[in-house]
Amino acid sequence: MCHTVVDCGLEVVTRQLVRNLRQVAQQQQPCGVDLTLRQVSEWTSTATIDFDNTNRQAAKTSTLPFDRTSHAITLPPGAYLIDFNEIVQIPRNYMGSIFPRSSLWRSGVGIAAGVVDAGYEGAMGPLMEVKSHNGVVLYRNGKLAQMVFEELGQSVEGYKGIYQAATSRVGRDGAP
C-alpha cells in the first residue's frame, strides 16, 4: 500500500530532508523547499541508455561559467543540465518531486526531473529548457525550483542505484 500525504515545508526543514539550504526563512515554502542554482552545464557527448545498464554511459558535460562580476549567466534557447546547491537525505518512507518555480516557467523556462526515490541521498539536478527565444539570465544561487515530499504508506527497500551519494547531478559516469 503506497498512499501518500504531502509534508509541509516546515516538516521538510525540521526533519532535514533537504540540507545545505542557503537561507531557511527564504527557502521554506508552505508545501516544500525552494532549490537554488549552483551551476549550469551543457552536454558534450552522446549518452547510451539500455535496459539493464550493461551499455549505459551518461553524456559528458561541461560547466558553463558565471560572469565573475555579476555572478549571472545568460542562456540562449536550448537544453541545460543544472546542479542545485541543496542535497537530500530521503527516508525510506518518503519520495520527492521537483517542480519549477512559477517565475521560471512564466519566463519561458521549464524544469523536468524524475522522481527522487525513497532512500536516495545526495545531489540533485534536473534538465532545464530555455524555450523563450529571448533566453534567460540566471544568477548564482537563484531560486529555480521547489521540492515537495510525499510520505509513503510504508517504508520501501529504497534507492540502490549508481547515483547514491552523488556529489553532482550527473553521478559517476557523466562527471564533468
Side-chain angles (χ1 to χ4, degrees), residues 19-152:
R19 298 169 183 210
N20 203 28
L21 296 169
R22 297 282 161 239
Q23 293 186 359
V24 172
Q26 291 186 5
Q27 289 181 257
Q28 180 181 309
Q29 299 299 326
C31 295
V33 174
D34 285 335
L35 303 176
T36 60
L37 178 63
R38 181 167 72 92
Q39 71 182 24
V40 179
S41 299
E42 62 185 352
W43 288 275
T44 59
S45 73
T46 302
T48 303
I49 307 295
D50 63 356
F51 180 76
D52 64 2
N53 293 333
T54 56
N55 296 306
R56 176 189 192 152
Q57 178 63 50
K60 304 295 185 212
T61 62
S62 176
T63 302
L64 301 175
F66 286 97
D67 180 87
R68 290 182 185 184
T69 304
S70 68
H71 303 286
I73 187 168
T74 302
L75 299 173
Y80 302 91
L81 191 55
I82 61 173
D83 268 324
F84 293 125
N85 288 304
E86 296 74 22
I87 58 171
V88 294
Q89 185 171 8
I90 303 180
R92 292 186 312 121
N93 64 329
Y94 277 77
M95 62 157 287
S97 299
I98 298 172
F99 299 94
R101 286 177 41 100
S102 63
S103 56
L104 198 64
W105 58 258
R106 288 179 178 159
S107 300
V109 180
I111 285 185
V115 168
V116 185
D117 280 321
Y120 176 74
E121 297 179 15
M124 306 166 296
L127 164 70
M128 182 175 67
E129 292 185 272
V130 178
K131 296 189 181 254
S132 169
H133 66 274
N134 295 312
V136 67
V137 175
L138 300 174
Y139 284 86
R140 181 180 288 136
N141 301 323
K143 296 188 289 185
L144 298 184
Q146 186 174 135
M147 185 166 192
V148 297
F149 290 84
E150 296 177 60
E151 186 174 3
L152 306 175

